[in-house]
Amino acid sequence: APCPSAGGPGDPRVAALLEACAGAQWERAAPLARTLAAEGHAEWEADRFHQSRALYSALLGACSCNGIAPCAPLSRREQLQVHANLGSSLMLLAREPDVPAGARADLLEGARYHWSIPLQVMPSEENLRYFHRLCAADAELARALADAMPLAAAAAAEGRTATVRSIERRDVSSISREDFVRSYASPRVPVVLTGVSTGSALPTLEDIVRVCGAQRVTLQRSTVGLGGRSEMGGPAPAAWAGMHRAPGTTTLAELHAELQRGGVADGWQLFYWGLP
């Protein structure tokens, strides 16, 4: 049975694995890593996700296997299974009812990252794609809720309350582009457009790259968890929606090619870029 502090700071197997990996003693490290992985799998299968999270996180941390690079003490298959099960554990922990919105967003962002590791190796695997997209979408909603809660509390303290109003619906055939810009877009008035034809297929990513591939774009990633500091330790630059901009640019075609090769790691993404 797992020891009481399985995967925690007091687990001597984690310390032994860390020492073995630091000294590149792979024959010694491999059985320790397999034991922790097996116990993590058993906890995961028993729906004890706090325990599986602790074991998987300790294993990956001790082996420095948190990324896509092969993990010496584990087979490639075992490494990817650990990442997938850790992603699943974090995703399910985020669904516990008493988790605050900010902590839920952190859990879901961690889950998205760990799902992304096997997804980079098997990009056509639909289950991996589904869970990665699900975690990304849920994390965005949780982060928006966490950001909104202080504003709602401040509004309540000032005696302000939210009001609900109806949103106008317009058939797309009854409104011109000029009317839409003048009446809705410019004054920022919401409207529901109905009667939009779905007869033509929406443009694919490849269609967009073919037309806009030469456009230069700036990648961004979330500054959440940096505590107001940049990755290099200095003050984080001002960022909209908590996103930090990369120092350089790339073309959309270059970005697409890199994604096809499984690149652009560490959370860099094309965020809030309007089509030219």
Side-chain angles (χ1 to χ4, degrees), residues 81 99 165 175:
Q81 188 65 61
V99 178
R165 61 174 177 170
I175 182 172

Side-chain angles (χ1 to χ4, degrees), residues 21-258:
C21 290
Q25 301 170 9
W26 305 127
E27 290 187 3
R28 178 187 170 205
L32 291 167
R34 287 196 296 268
T35 296
L36 288 172
E39 288 188 9
H41 298 337
E43 298 291 351
W44 181 82
E45 290 171 359
D47 294 343
R48 292 190 287 265
F49 300 117
H50 287 282
Q51 292 89 329
S52 62
R53 174 195 185 182
L55 286 159
Y56 289 141
S57 298
L59 167 58
L60 294 174
C63 297
S64 299
C65 294
N66 263 313
I68 191 66
C71 182
L74 294 173
S75 69
R76 189 60 157 167
R77 179 189 179 100
E78 191 69 43
Q79 177 192 6
L80 298 180
Q81 188 65 61
V82 167
H83 276 289
N85 283 10
L86 179 52
S88 172
S89 299
L90 295 171
M91 182 174 66
L92 291 165
L93 287 173
R95 295 187 176 184
E96 292 186 347
D98 297 328
V99 178
R104 179 175 290 113
D106 291 340
L107 287 167
L108 290 165
E109 286 165 357
R112 180 203 59 78
Y113 173 77
H114 287 289
W115 280 116
S116 77
I117 300 301
L119 180 60
Q120 290 180 62
V121 178
M122 299 175 286
S124 61
E125 177 57 48
E126 186 54 39
N127 283 340
L128 296 175
R129 292 165 62 89
Y130 169 76
F131 285 119
H132 184 263
R133 289 195 303 265
L134 179 65
C135 288
D138 286 354
E140 184 177 353
L141 289 173
R143 186 64 63 196
L145 178 59
D147 292 343
M149 289 178 69
L151 299 177
E158 295 173 5
R160 292 184 284 120
T161 58
T163 57
V164 178
R165 61 174 177 170
S166 299
I167 297 178
E168 185 180 359
R169 301 171 68 88
R170 293 284 302 269
D171 190 279
V172 71
S173 63
S174 70
I175 182 172
S176 66
R177 180 183 183 279
E178 292 73 19
D179 186 22
F180 174 78
V181 171
R182 182 179 60 255
S183 302
Y184 303 103
S186 293
R188 303 175 68 85
V189 174
V191 62
V192 177
L193 296 178
T194 62
V196 179
S197 171
T198 57
S200 0
L202 294 173
T204 64
L205 181 57
E206 287 69 25
D207 294 332
I208 296 172
V209 170
R210 186 173 60 255
V211 175
C212 308
Q215 294 290 323
R216 301 203 70 81
V217 297
T218 301
L219 301 185
Q220 301 183 59
R221 68 176 171 186
S222 175
T223 58
V224 172
L226 294 179
R229 312 294 291 175
S230 72
E231 292 88 340
M232 301 303 294
W240 182 75
M243 301 296 287
H244 170 63
R245 294 167 65 87
T249 63
T250 185
T251 68
L252 190 61
E254 290 168 343
L255 172 60
H256 181 254
E258 184 69 15

